[in-house]
Amino acid sequence: MRDSAPPLLSVNNLRVAFGGVERVRGLTLSIRAGQTLGIVGESGCGKSLSWLAVLGLLGDAAKIRGSVLLDGSEMIGANRQTLERMRGRRIAMVFQDPSGALNPMRSIGWQIDEVLRLHRGLRGAAVRVETCRLLDRVGIPDPVRRANAYADELSGGQNQRVAIAMALAGRPELLIADEPTTALDPTIQAQILTLLKDVQRESGMAMVLISHDLSLVSEMCDMVAVMYAGEIVELASARALFAAPAHPYTRALLAGMPMLDGPRRPMVAIRGSVPHGQDMPPGCAFAARCDTFVAACARPQGMHTVAPDHVALCHRARIAT
Amino acid sequence: MEGIAVVLPGFFCAGIFRVMARFIAWRLLRAVLTVLCVALFVAIALRISGDPAVIALGPDAPAAALQAFRAQNGLNLPIPMQIARQFLAMLHGNFGVSMMDGTQALPLVLRHVIPTLEIAVPALLLKLALGIPAGLLAAVRQNSWIDRLVMAGAALGLAVPNFVIGVLLVIVFAVKLGWLPSSGQPSFAGLLLPVISLGLAGAGVLARFTRSAIVGVLTQPHVRAASAKGLSRSAVLLRHVLPNAVATLLPVIGLAIGGLLAGTVVVETLFSWPGLGNLLVVAVANRDVPVVECILILSAATMALSNLVMDVAHAWRDPRIVRGRG
Ligand SMILES: Nc1ncnc2c1ncn2[C@@H]1O[C@H](COP(=O)(O)OP(=O)(O)OP(=O)(O)O)[C@@H](O)[C@H]1O
Ligand SMILES: [Mg+2]
């Protein structure tokens, strides 16, 4: 796991605020080529927002601070051309709402063609041939004809696969996949995951996998970051995280996870709600919901190293497990 | 499900064609009905507004002459019969004889179409060339000073009738500066003022529509996805935003094209331009029923036809319309 090669992407203290309210509160992590990083956490904790900020896709209303280095060059505050050259080619994204991410007035083939012309320099008939090959790889039946279909003529799951094909079309070094398999049935999901792994093996593509599906994350990811209220509360190798979660929030999340091979249990709701904006306590953001709250939790928390490659934002993490 | 789709590709394509053909047929029927309704309305309104015999022969005409006129023109028949006969004649291009100069109304009206188009077409082009880029700029630079300027100009163009702009232009350029003729000359210089006063007012309205259409597209998530692909900002605008916005603008542009013949009345009067609008004003003043009817029906037909074409163009750009999911 530990590797001396410099990271492909390193995010340092990334902060995203809207109208003075911080929604991402200091994200720090790094990804190496070929690695898969899982991002988990309750809805609204800033998973999507962080990666939209990395790609510079948030628009003027978002105030972004911190640093994102791609192969050592800074992307926060970089000029538009620099970001445009990087998007789609070096870092591609599969959006959480794949049907919305497709232009309703262009055929899906046209939209994949566009990426191939832009990033792969393909021209003429070769473009559509490659588009159909990509559609075939993501399991769209009869790709030659389906390439002429529009997003509203396909199912949500098919649109999701089209979005994945489109993101892979630019042969990115890093793929950010935001809930890429939510609308897929288990067979197709397995097929897509195999495809993504194949692409990673062939090209060394790194991947950020944002998901609510913890068993998927445990299966696919090398590293996992657990986000809570806009910050990472635990970051560890997938094996360590699932075997020995150090942060109470992670433990609460995992408690809702179905046992392998066991019957699916409903996700256990964690009592209370996520603080944000003005309610954000100075200490641990999870304190009000934590079963193991002590006075020290009300003081600002720092990252503690639990083990090599395993950190948690909890003062008890040192002594846990 | 998948199997059916594989077995029936040919059927599927034919289906799309049939759906499109049915869509066009429906819109065509609607256009014809619209024109028919207008014609009916005009015919009834003109009949209610006065006895055509009295109008034609004057209030002092002797009763015998009025009777003869009625018999000759079929005015003794019940009104529905009269209208039916008149519609039949219209289908053959016979709108009746102008009461002003005794010639057929249709050729007389058609002769006046050309001068109207001479100012209406350049004015339309001016509207498009000014309104769409201005709206685009305002939408892309939302809340900037450019946006405010365009929107203020558009509000002004909307609030101030085009004849006010025309009068102002005449005062400045014709009266004060003496650069341009103020009226009635079918020359390039004579065209300028009517075209500008028509075009400016329309451009404001179009700029507003363009801006809101583009802002509407810009907020759709697929635009962010297009940026995420690595397209430059101008490519996103030109390939994903503007074409989608134009699809929603087509009906508005259709209205502008449809109004080519009907929208120039005031400006033609102001500049004494010898076009359709002028003819209409004169014909109304003289109670020249066939000419008025002919002009109104022609305008309605232009409007209906233009709407039809724009509807079909819209459906072609955005197939969801035809499939009824738009
Ligand atoms: N454009 C925006 N303006 C203001 N607030 C925003 C904006 N986009 C997101 N937020 C807020 O930021 C927070 C994080 O949103 P984000 O989309 O990152 O959540 P998420 O972790 O991806 O959740 P989910 O699992 O539901 O996708 C949310 O509370 C959301 O309301
Ligand atoms: Mg999200």
Coordinates of all heavy atoms in Angstrom, one line a residue, chain B residues 201-290:
Chain B
A201 N -37.3 48.4 -31.5 CA -38.3 48.0 -30.6 C -38.4 46.5 -30.5 O -38.4 45.9 -29.4 CB -39.7 48.6 -31.0
G202 N -38.4 45.8 -31.6 CA -38.5 44.3 -31.6 C -37.2 43.7 -31.0 O -37.3 42.7 -30.3
A203 N -36.1 44.3 -31.2 CA -34.8 43.7 -30.7 C -34.9 43.7 -29.2 O -34.4 42.7 -28.6 CB -33.6 44.6 -31.1
G204 N -35.5 44.7 -28.5 CA -35.6 44.7 -27.1 C -36.3 43.5 -26.6 O -35.9 42.8 -25.7
V205 N -37.5 43.2 -27.2 CA -38.3 42.1 -26.8 C -37.6 40.8 -27.0 O -37.5 39.9 -26.1 CB -39.6 42.1 -27.6 CG1 -40.5 40.9 -27.2 CG2 -40.4 43.4 -27.4
L206 N -36.9 40.7 -28.1 CA -36.2 39.4 -28.4 C -35.0 39.2 -27.5 O -34.8 38.1 -27.1 CB -35.7 39.5 -29.9 CG -35.2 38.2 -30.4 CD1 -36.3 37.1 -30.4 CD2 -34.8 38.3 -31.9
A207 N -34.4 40.3 -27.1 CA -33.2 40.2 -26.2 C -33.7 39.7 -24.8 O -33.1 38.8 -24.2 CB -32.6 41.6 -26.0
R208 N -34.9 40.1 -24.4 CA -35.4 39.6 -23.1 C -35.7 38.1 -23.2 O -35.4 37.4 -22.3 CB -36.8 40.3 -22.8 CG -36.6 41.6 -22.2 CD -38.0 42.1 -21.7 NE -38.2 41.8 -20.3 CZ -37.9 42.6 -19.3 NH1 -37.3 43.7 -19.6 NH2 -38.1 42.3 -18.1
F209 N -36.4 37.7 -24.3 CA -36.7 36.3 -24.5 C -35.4 35.5 -24.6 O -35.3 34.4 -24.0 CB -37.5 36.1 -25.7 CG -39.0 36.3 -25.5 CD1 -39.7 37.4 -26.1 CD2 -39.7 35.5 -24.7 CE1 -41.0 37.6 -25.9 CE2 -41.1 35.6 -24.5 CZ -41.7 36.7 -25.1
T210 N -34.4 36.0 -25.3 CA -33.2 35.3 -25.5 C -32.5 35.1 -24.1 O -32.1 34.0 -23.8 CB -32.2 36.0 -26.4 OG1 -32.9 36.3 -27.7 CG2 -31.0 35.2 -26.7
R211 N -32.5 36.2 -23.4 CA -31.8 36.1 -22.1 C -32.5 35.1 -21.2 O -31.8 34.2 -20.6 CB -31.8 37.5 -21.4 CG -31.2 37.4 -20.0 CD -31.3 38.8 -19.3 NE -30.6 38.8 -18.1 CZ -31.1 38.4 -16.9 NH1 -32.3 37.8 -16.9 NH2 -30.4 38.5 -15.8
S212 N -33.8 35.1 -21.1 CA -34.4 34.1 -20.2 C -34.3 32.7 -20.7 O -34.1 31.8 -19.9 CB -35.9 34.5 -19.9 OG -36.7 34.3 -21.1
A213 N -34.3 32.5 -22.0 CA -34.1 31.2 -22.6 C -32.7 30.7 -22.3 O -32.6 29.5 -21.8 CB -34.3 31.2 -24.1
I214 N -31.7 31.5 -22.4 CA -30.4 31.1 -22.1 C -30.1 30.9 -20.6 O -29.5 29.9 -20.3 CB -29.4 32.1 -22.7 CG1 -29.5 32.0 -24.2 CG2 -28.0 31.8 -22.2 CD1 -28.4 32.5 -25.0
V215 N -30.6 31.7 -19.8 CA -30.5 31.5 -18.4 C -31.2 30.2 -18.0 O -30.6 29.4 -17.2 CB -31.1 32.7 -17.6 CG1 -31.3 32.4 -16.1 CG2 -30.3 34.0 -17.8
G216 N -32.3 29.9 -18.6 CA -33.0 28.7 -18.4 C -32.1 27.5 -18.7 O -32.0 26.5 -17.9
V217 N -31.4 27.5 -19.8 CA -30.5 26.4 -20.2 C -29.3 26.3 -19.3 O -28.9 25.3 -18.9 CB -30.1 26.5 -21.7 CG1 -29.2 25.4 -22.0 CG2 -31.4 26.5 -22.6
L218 N -28.8 27.5 -19.0 CA -27.5 27.6 -18.2 C -27.7 26.9 -16.8 O -26.8 26.3 -16.3 CB -27.1 29.0 -18.0 CG -26.3 29.7 -19.1 CD1 -26.1 31.1 -18.8 CD2 -25.0 29.0 -19.4
T219 N -28.9 26.9 -16.3 CA -29.1 26.3 -14.9 C -29.3 24.8 -15.0 O -29.4 24.2 -14.0 CB -30.3 27.0 -14.2 OG1 -31.4 26.8 -15.1 CG2 -30.1 28.4 -13.9
Q220 N -29.4 24.3 -16.2 CA -29.6 22.8 -16.4 C -28.3 22.1 -16.1 O -27.3 22.6 -16.5 CB -30.2 22.5 -17.8 CG -31.6 22.9 -18.0 CD -32.1 22.8 -19.4 OE1 -31.3 22.2 -20.2 NE2 -33.2 23.3 -19.7
P221 N -28.4 20.9 -15.4 CA -27.2 20.3 -15.0 C -26.3 19.8 -16.2 O -25.1 19.6 -16.0 CB -27.7 19.1 -14.2 CG -29.1 18.9 -14.5 CD -29.6 20.3 -14.9
H222 N -26.9 19.6 -17.4 CA -26.1 19.1 -18.4 C -25.0 20.1 -18.9 O -24.1 19.8 -19.5 CB -26.9 18.6 -19.6 CG -27.6 19.7 -20.4 ND1 -26.9 20.3 -21.4 CD2 -28.8 20.2 -20.4 CE1 -27.7 21.2 -22.0 NE2 -28.8 21.2 -21.4
V223 N -25.3 21.4 -18.6 CA -24.3 22.4 -19.0 C -23.0 22.3 -18.1 O -21.9 22.3 -18.7 CB -24.9 23.8 -18.8 CG1 -23.8 24.9 -19.1 CG2 -26.1 24.0 -19.7
R224 N -23.2 22.0 -16.8 CA -22.0 21.7 -16.0 C -21.3 20.5 -16.5 O -20.1 20.4 -16.5 CB -22.5 21.6 -14.5 CG -21.3 21.2 -13.6 CD -21.8 21.0 -12.2 NE -22.0 22.2 -11.5 CZ -22.6 22.3 -10.3 NH1 -23.1 21.2 -9.7 NH2 -22.7 23.4 -9.7
A225 N -22.1 19.5 -16.9 CA -21.5 18.2 -17.3 C -20.7 18.5 -18.6 O -19.6 17.9 -18.8 CB -22.5 17.2 -17.6
A226 N -21.2 19.4 -19.5 CA -20.5 19.7 -20.7 C -19.1 20.4 -20.4 O -18.1 20.1 -21.0 CB -21.3 20.6 -21.6
S227 N -19.1 21.3 -19.3 CA -17.9 21.9 -18.9 C -16.9 20.8 -18.4 O -15.7 20.8 -18.6 CB -18.1 22.9 -17.8 OG -18.9 24.0 -18.3
A228 N -17.5 19.8 -17.6 CA -16.7 18.8 -17.0 C -16.0 17.9 -18.1 O -15.0 17.3 -17.8 CB -17.5 17.9 -16.1
K229 N -16.6 17.9 -19.3 CA -15.9 17.1 -20.4 C -14.6 17.8 -20.8 O -13.9 17.2 -21.5 CB -16.9 17.1 -21.6 CG -18.0 16.2 -21.5 CD -19.0 16.6 -22.6 CE -19.6 15.4 -23.3 NZ -20.4 15.8 -24.5
G230 N -14.5 19.1 -20.5 CA -13.3 19.8 -21.0 C -13.5 20.7 -22.1 O -12.6 21.3 -22.7
L231 N -14.8 20.9 -22.5 CA -15.1 21.9 -23.5 C -14.8 23.3 -23.0 O -15.0 23.6 -21.8 CB -16.6 21.8 -23.9 CG -17.1 20.5 -24.6 CD1 -18.6 20.5 -24.6 CD2 -16.5 20.4 -26.0
S232 N -14.3 24.1 -23.9 CA -14.1 25.5 -23.5 C -15.4 26.2 -23.3 O -16.4 25.7 -23.7 CB -13.3 26.3 -24.6 OG -14.1 26.4 -25.7
R233 N -15.3 27.4 -22.6 CA -16.6 28.0 -22.3 C -17.4 28.4 -23.6 O -18.6 28.3 -23.6 CB -16.3 29.3 -21.5 CG -17.6 29.7 -20.7 CD -17.3 30.5 -19.5 NE -16.9 31.9 -20.0 CZ -16.7 32.9 -19.1 NH1 -16.7 32.7 -17.8 NH2 -16.3 34.0 -19.6
S234 N -16.6 28.8 -24.6 CA -17.3 29.2 -25.8 C -17.9 28.0 -26.5 O -19.0 28.0 -27.0 CB -16.4 30.0 -26.7 OG -15.2 29.2 -27.0
A235 N -17.2 26.9 -26.4 CA -17.8 25.6 -27.0 C -19.0 25.2 -26.3 O -20.0 24.8 -26.9 CB -16.7 24.5 -27.0
V236 N -19.0 25.3 -25.0 CA -20.2 25.0 -24.2 C -21.4 25.8 -24.6 O -22.5 25.4 -24.9 CB -19.9 25.1 -22.7 CG1 -21.2 24.9 -21.9 CG2 -18.9 24.1 -22.2
L237 N -21.1 27.1 -24.8 CA -22.1 28.1 -25.1 C -22.7 27.8 -26.5 O -23.9 27.7 -26.8 CB -21.6 29.5 -25.1 CG -21.6 30.1 -23.7 CD1 -21.0 31.5 -23.8 CD2 -23.0 30.2 -23.1
L238 N -21.7 27.6 -27.5 CA -22.1 27.4 -28.9 C -22.7 26.1 -29.2 O -23.5 25.9 -30.1 CB -20.9 27.7 -29.8 CG -20.5 29.2 -29.8 CD1 -19.3 29.4 -30.7 CD2 -21.7 30.0 -30.3
R239 N -22.2 25.0 -28.5 CA -22.7 23.7 -28.8 C -23.8 23.2 -28.0 O -24.6 22.3 -28.4 CB -21.5 22.7 -28.8 CG -20.4 22.9 -29.8 CD -19.2 22.1 -29.5 NE -19.4 20.7 -29.7 CZ -19.3 20.1 -30.9 NH1 -19.1 20.8 -32.0 NH2 -19.5 18.8 -31.0
H240 N -23.9 23.6 -26.7 CA -24.9 23.1 -25.8 C -25.9 24.1 -25.3 O -27.0 23.7 -25.1 CB -24.2 22.4 -24.6 CG -23.4 21.2 -24.9 ND1 -24.0 20.0 -24.9 CD2 -22.1 21.0 -25.3 CE1 -23.1 19.0 -25.3 NE2 -22.0 19.7 -25.5
V241 N -25.5 25.3 -25.1 CA -26.4 26.3 -24.6 C -27.3 27.0 -25.6 O -28.5 26.9 -25.6 CB -25.7 27.3 -23.7 CG1 -26.7 28.3 -23.1 CG2 -25.0 26.6 -22.6
L242 N -26.6 27.6 -26.6 CA -27.3 28.4 -27.6 C -28.3 27.6 -28.4 O -29.4 27.9 -28.6 CB -26.3 29.2 -28.5 CG -26.9 30.3 -29.3 CD1 -27.6 31.3 -28.4 CD2 -25.8 31.0 -30.1
P243 N -27.8 26.4 -28.9 CA -28.8 25.6 -29.7 C -30.0 25.2 -28.9 O -31.1 25.3 -29.5 CB -28.0 24.4 -30.1 CG -26.6 24.8 -30.0 CD -26.5 25.8 -28.9
N244 N -29.8 24.8 -27.7 CA -31.0 24.4 -26.9 C -31.9 25.6 -26.6 O -33.1 25.5 -26.6 CB -30.5 23.8 -25.6 CG -29.9 22.5 -25.7 OD1 -29.3 22.2 -26.8 ND2 -29.9 21.7 -24.7
A245 N -31.3 26.8 -26.4 CA -32.1 28.0 -26.1 C -32.8 28.4 -27.4 O -34.0 28.8 -27.4 CB -31.2 29.1 -25.7
V246 N -32.2 28.3 -28.6 CA -32.8 28.7 -29.8 C -34.1 27.8 -30.0 O -35.1 28.3 -30.5 CB -31.8 28.5 -31.0 CG1 -32.6 28.5 -32.3 CG2 -30.9 29.7 -31.0
A247 N -34.0 26.5 -29.6 CA -35.2 25.7 -29.8 C -36.4 26.3 -29.1 O -37.5 26.3 -29.6 CB -34.9 24.3 -29.3
T248 N -36.1 26.8 -27.9 CA -37.3 27.4 -27.2 C -37.6 28.8 -27.7 O -38.7 29.4 -27.5 CB -37.0 27.5 -25.7 OG1 -35.9 28.3 -25.5 CG2 -36.8 26.2 -25.0
L249 N -36.6 29.4 -28.4 CA -36.8 30.8 -29.0 C -37.6 30.7 -30.3 O -38.2 31.7 -30.8 CB -35.5 31.5 -29.3 CG -34.9 32.2 -28.1 CD1 -33.6 32.8 -28.5 CD2 -35.8 33.2 -27.5
L250 N -37.6 29.5 -31.0 CA -38.2 29.4 -32.3 C -39.6 29.9 -32.3 O -40.0 30.7 -33.3 CB -38.1 28.0 -32.8 CG -36.7 27.5 -33.3 CD1 -36.8 26.1 -33.7 CD2 -36.3 28.4 -34.5
P251 N -40.5 29.6 -31.4 CA -41.8 30.2 -31.4 C -41.8 31.7 -31.4 O -42.6 32.3 -32.1 CB -42.5 29.6 -30.2 CG -41.7 28.4 -29.9 CD -40.3 28.6 -30.3
V252 N -40.9 32.3 -30.6 CA -40.9 33.7 -30.5 C -40.4 34.3 -31.9 O -41.0 35.3 -32.4 CB -39.9 34.2 -29.4 CG1 -39.9 35.7 -29.3 CG2 -40.3 33.6 -28.1
I253 N -39.4 33.7 -32.5 CA -38.9 34.1 -33.8 C -40.1 33.9 -34.8 O -40.3 34.8 -35.7 CB -37.7 33.4 -34.2 CG1 -36.5 33.7 -33.2 CG2 -37.2 33.7 -35.6 CD1 -35.3 32.9 -33.4
G254 N -40.8 32.8 -34.6 CA -41.9 32.6 -35.5 C -43.0 33.7 -35.4 O -43.5 34.1 -36.5
L255 N -43.2 34.2 -34.2 CA -44.1 35.3 -34.1 C -43.6 36.5 -34.8 O -44.4 37.2 -35.5 CB -44.3 35.7 -32.6 CG -45.3 34.8 -31.8 CD1 -45.4 35.3 -30.4 CD2 -46.7 34.9 -32.4
A256 N -42.3 36.8 -34.7 CA -41.7 37.9 -35.4 C -41.9 37.8 -36.9 O -42.2 38.8 -37.6 CB -40.3 38.1 -35.0
I257 N -41.6 36.6 -37.4 CA -41.7 36.4 -38.9 C -43.2 36.4 -39.3 O -43.5 37.1 -40.3 CB -41.1 35.0 -39.3 CG1 -39.6 35.0 -39.0 CG2 -41.4 34.7 -40.7 CD1 -39.0 33.7 -39.2
G258 N -44.1 35.9 -38.4 CA -45.5 35.9 -38.8 C -46.0 37.3 -38.8 O -47.0 37.6 -39.5
G259 N -45.4 38.2 -38.0 CA -45.9 39.6 -37.9 C -45.3 40.5 -39.0 O -45.5 41.7 -38.9
L260 N -44.5 39.9 -39.9 CA -43.9 40.7 -40.9 C -44.9 41.6 -41.6 O -44.6 42.8 -41.8 CB -43.3 39.7 -42.0 CG -41.9 39.2 -41.7 CD1 -41.4 38.3 -42.9 CD2 -40.9 40.3 -41.5
L261 N -46.1 41.1 -42.0 CA -47.0 41.8 -42.8 C -47.9 42.7 -41.9 O -48.3 43.8 -42.2 CB -47.9 40.9 -43.6 CG -47.3 40.1 -44.7 CD1 -48.3 39.3 -45.5 CD2 -46.5 41.0 -45.6
A262 N -48.1 42.2 -40.6 CA -49.1 42.9 -39.8 C -48.4 44.0 -38.9 O -49.1 44.8 -38.3 CB -49.8 41.9 -38.9
G263 N -47.1 43.9 -38.7 CA -46.5 44.7 -37.7 C -46.0 46.1 -38.1 O -45.4 46.8 -37.3
T264 N -46.3 46.5 -39.4 CA -45.7 47.7 -39.9 C -46.7 48.9 -40.0 O -46.3 49.9 -40.5 CB -45.1 47.4 -41.2 OG1 -46.1 46.9 -42.1 CG2 -44.0 46.4 -41.2
V265 N -48.0 48.6 -39.6 CA -49.0 49.6 -39.9 C -48.6 51.0 -39.4 O -48.6 52.0 -40.1 CB -50.3 49.2 -39.2 CG1 -51.4 50.3 -39.4 CG2 -50.8 47.9 -39.8
V266 N -48.2 51.1 -38.1 CA -48.0 52.4 -37.5 C -46.8 53.0 -38.1 O -46.8 54.2 -38.5 CB -47.8 52.2 -36.0 CG1 -47.4 53.5 -35.3 CG2 -49.0 51.7 -35.3
V267 N -45.7 52.3 -38.3 CA -44.5 52.8 -38.9 C -44.7 53.3 -40.3 O -44.3 54.4 -40.7 CB -43.3 51.8 -38.8 CG1 -42.2 52.3 -39.6 CG2 -42.9 51.6 -37.3
E268 N -45.5 52.5 -41.1 CA -45.7 52.9 -42.5 C -46.5 54.2 -42.5 O -46.3 55.1 -43.3 CB -46.5 51.8 -43.2 CG -45.6 50.6 -43.6 CD -46.4 49.7 -44.5 OE1 -47.4 50.0 -45.0 OE2 -45.9 48.5 -44.6
T269 N -47.5 54.3 -41.6 CA -48.3 55.6 -41.6 C -47.4 56.7 -41.2 O -47.4 57.8 -41.9 CB -49.4 55.4 -40.5 OG1 -50.1 54.2 -40.7 CG2 -50.4 56.6 -40.6
L270 N -46.5 56.5 -40.2 CA -45.7 57.6 -39.7 C -44.7 58.1 -40.9 O -44.5 59.2 -41.0 CB -44.8 57.1 -38.6 CG -43.9 58.0 -37.9 CD1 -44.6 59.2 -37.3 CD2 -43.0 57.3 -36.9
F271 N -44.2 57.1 -41.6 CA -43.2 57.5 -42.7 C -43.9 57.5 -44.0 O -43.2 57.6 -45.0 CB -42.1 56.5 -42.7 CG -41.2 56.5 -41.4 CD1 -41.4 55.7 -40.4 CD2 -40.2 57.5 -41.3 CE1 -40.6 55.8 -39.2 CE2 -39.4 57.6 -40.2 CZ -39.6 56.7 -39.2
S272 N -45.2 57.5 -44.1 CA -45.9 57.5 -45.3 C -45.3 56.5 -46.3 O -45.1 56.8 -47.5 CB -45.9 58.9 -46.0 OG -46.0 59.9 -45.1
W273 N -45.1 55.3 -45.8 CA -44.5 54.2 -46.6 C -45.6 53.5 -47.4 O -46.6 53.1 -46.8 CB -43.8 53.2 -45.7 CG -42.9 52.3 -46.5 CD1 -43.2 51.1 -46.9 CD2 -41.6 52.6 -47.0 NE1 -42.1 50.5 -47.6 CE2 -41.1 51.5 -47.6 CE3 -40.7 53.7 -46.9 CZ2 -39.9 51.4 -48.3 CZ3 -39.5 53.7 -47.5 CH2 -39.1 52.5 -48.2
P274 N -45.4 53.4 -48.7 CA -46.6 52.9 -49.5 C -46.7 51.4 -49.4 O -46.7 50.7 -50.5 CB -46.1 53.3 -50.9 CG -44.6 53.3 -50.9 CD -44.2 53.7 -49.5
G275 N -46.9 50.9 -48.2 CA -47.0 49.4 -48.1 C -48.4 49.0 -47.7 O -49.4 49.7 -47.8
L276 N -48.4 47.8 -47.2 CA -49.7 47.1 -46.8 C -50.4 47.8 -45.6 O -51.6 48.0 -45.6 CB -49.4 45.7 -46.4 CG -50.4 44.6 -46.6 CD1 -50.8 44.6 -48.1 CD2 -49.8 43.3 -46.2
G277 N -49.5 48.3 -44.7 CA -50.1 49.0 -43.5 C -50.8 50.2 -43.9 O -51.9 50.5 -43.5
N278 N -50.2 51.0 -44.8 CA -50.8 52.2 -45.3 C -52.1 51.9 -46.0 O -53.1 52.6 -45.8 CB -49.8 52.9 -46.2 CG -49.6 54.3 -45.9 OD1 -50.5 55.0 -45.4 ND2 -48.4 54.9 -46.1
L279 N -52.0 50.9 -46.9 CA -53.2 50.5 -47.6 C -54.3 50.1 -46.7 O -55.5 50.5 -46.9 CB -52.9 49.3 -48.5 CG -54.0 48.8 -49.4 CD1 -54.4 49.9 -50.4 CD2 -53.6 47.5 -50.1
L280 N -54.0 49.4 -45.6 CA -55.0 49.0 -44.6 C -55.7 50.2 -44.0 O -56.9 50.3 -43.9 CB -54.4 48.2 -43.5 CG -55.3 47.6 -42.5 CD1 -56.3 46.7 -43.1 CD2 -54.6 47.0 -41.3
V281 N -54.8 51.2 -43.6 CA -55.4 52.4 -43.0 C -56.3 53.1 -43.9 O -57.5 53.5 -43.6 CB -54.3 53.3 -42.5 CG1 -54.8 54.7 -42.0 CG2 -53.5 52.7 -41.4
V282 N -55.9 53.3 -45.2 CA -56.7 54.0 -46.2 C -58.0 53.2 -46.4 O -59.1 53.7 -46.5 CB -55.9 54.1 -47.5 CG1 -56.8 54.7 -48.6 CG2 -54.7 55.0 -47.2
A283 N -57.9 51.8 -46.5 CA -59.0 51.0 -46.8 C -60.0 51.1 -45.7 O -61.3 51.1 -45.9 CB -58.6 49.6 -47.1
V284 N -59.5 51.1 -44.5 CA -60.5 51.1 -43.3 C -61.2 52.5 -43.4 O -62.4 52.6 -43.2 CB -59.7 50.9 -42.0 CG1 -60.6 51.3 -40.8 CG2 -59.3 49.5 -41.9
A285 N -60.4 53.5 -43.6 CA -61.0 54.9 -43.6 C -62.1 54.9 -44.7 O -63.1 55.6 -44.5 CB -59.9 55.9 -43.9
N286 N -61.9 54.3 -45.8 CA -62.9 54.3 -46.9 C -63.9 53.2 -46.9 O -64.6 53.0 -47.8 CB -62.1 54.2 -48.3 CG -61.4 55.5 -48.5 OD1 -62.0 56.6 -48.5 ND2 -60.1 55.4 -48.7
R287 N -63.8 52.4 -45.8 CA -64.7 51.3 -45.6 C -64.6 50.3 -46.9 O -65.6 49.9 -47.4 CB -66.2 51.7 -45.4 CG -66.3 52.6 -44.2 CD -67.6 52.3 -43.5 NE -67.4 52.1 -42.0 CZ -67.8 51.0 -41.4 NH1 -68.4 50.0 -42.1 NH2 -67.6 50.8 -40.2
D288 N -63.4 50.1 -47.3 CA -63.2 49.3 -48.5 C -63.2 47.8 -48.0 O -62.1 47.2 -47.8 CB -61.9 49.7 -49.2 CG -61.8 49.0 -50.5 OD1 -62.5 48.0 -50.8 OD2 -61.0 49.5 -51.4
V289 N -64.3 47.2 -47.8 CA -64.4 45.9 -47.1 C -63.6 44.8 -47.8 O -62.8 44.1 -47.1 CB -65.9 45.5 -47.0 CG1 -66.0 44.1 -46.5 CG2 -66.7 46.5 -46.2
P290 N -63.6 44.6 -49.1 CA -62.8 43.5 -49.7 C -61.3 43.7 -49.4 O -60.6 42.7 -49.1 CB -63.1 43.6 -51.2 CG -64.4 44.3 -51.3 CD -64.5 45.3 -50.1

